[in-house]
Amino acid sequence: TTPDGHPVAMVHCNNGASEFAAWAQVFGQFAQALGSEADDNAVFETLLRAALDGAADGAGLLAYNNLSGEPVADLAEGRPAILRTPDSTLNLANLMRVQVYAMFATLSLGLRVLAAEGVEVKQMFAHGGIFRTAGVAQRLLAAAINTPVLVGDSAGHGGAWGIAVLAAYRRRVLDGLAQSLPGFLDSEVFAGTALNLAEPLDEDRAGFEAYLETYEAGLAIQRAAITSI
């Protein structure tokens, strides 16, 4: 349930942006080797923005970001990997595009399960550090789940911030100043928060669907890697 007791249907994905961050570290080290003083934030943002220039379907590249097992994809352990066909187009933009797609692939698969159970998602509120770079992960997430995605200007705050918000609400309850949790969030926590809405774009949506089809077919390779490596 939510903290105030409403039922929740959840798709839990074990893997998110950690593999993307590992690649960002590699490219950051390369930049330093060339004498660049670019900081981690600049490297991360540059790589994310490059994803928008990538082919909508990944141009023959396929990424798995699984550092741990992923039950949604029936993977018992993690084996991060990049696969590509001999005629693929390996460049920075396509590599980063499929890395972002990999973050949302299992979420998309999980939402299919919920849709089959009659759960309809009308809008998604996205939160997390990956959304600090405006208009990139948000746009590709909208394509991956075929749903409008809202991102607020507080989206980069982490889990500790969320726990602090709940602690503040609990303090109100103990002080006899309780209102509903949604009321507290709307009237105080997010009252001045600007929200940006991204609708799924047809080109992105078609490209992600093509990517996801290949992603699903390649899961057999992932399962084989788990037993052999």
Side-chain angles (χ1 to χ4, degrees):
T1 67
T2 65
D4 60 344
H6 291 290
V8 169
M10 178 183 292
V11 178
H12 188 280
C13 302
N14 286 343
N15 298 276
S18 296
E19 176 69 357
F20 189 97
W23 280 99
Q25 184 178 45
V26 169
F27 281 107
Q29 292 169 351
F30 178 70
Q32 290 176 358
L34 291 176
S36 171
E37 298 299 323
D39 62 20
D40 292 344
N41 288 331
V43 171
F44 206 92
E45 180 174 351
T46 299
L47 294 178
L48 265 180
R49 294 203 179 282
L52 292 183
D53 295 326
D57 63 354
L61 274 67
L62 181 61
Y64 292 96
N65 67 332
N66 305 308
L67 295 172
S68 65
E70 194 62 85
V72 173
D74 194 25
L75 297 174
E77 298 178 19
R79 293 293 188 278
I82 295 174
L83 306 173
R84 65 188 185 97
T85 59
D87 60 346
S88 63
T89 303
L90 177 59
N91 58 33
L92 181 64
N94 290 337
L95 179 61
M96 292 301 107
R97 182 87 169 205
V98 299
Q99 285 293 334
V100 176
Y101 277 173
M103 297 180 206
F104 303 138
T106 49
L107 174 60
S108 180
L109 295 176
L111 286 174
R112 285 185 186 177
V113 176
L114 291 185
E117 296 294 327
V119 177
E120 180 185 3
V121 181
K122 296 181 178 179
Q123 283 186 337
M124 182 75 76
F125 285 84
H127 189 93
I130 195 72
F131 298 102
R132 287 171 53 195
T133 302
V136 181
Q138 179 187 13
R139 169 181 151 182
L140 298 183
L141 173 59
I145 62 177
N146 197 26
T147 302
V149 174
L150 286 158
V151 170
D153 55 16
S154 62
H157 297 317
W161 179 82
I163 293 300
V165 169
L166 287 177
Y169 177 68
R170 179 62 177 165
R171 182 71 263 172
R172 299 295 179 89
V173 172
L174 294 176
D175 290 343
L177 302 174
Q179 54 181 313
S180 70
L181 178 59
F184 172 69
L185 295 175
D186 289 341
S187 65
E188 298 193 39
V189 178
F190 297 115
T193 299
L195 293 174
N196 178 265
L197 177 68
E199 298 277 355
L201 301 178
D202 290 342
E203 180 183 1
D204 291 340
R205 180 62 188 162
F208 180 81
E209 280 296 320
Y211 171 86
L212 189 63
E213 183 177 348
T214 307
Y215 178 96
E216 288 187 276
L219 285 173
I221 299 174
Q222 280 276 285
R223 296 184 189 108
I226 289 172
T227 60
S228 61
I229 299 177

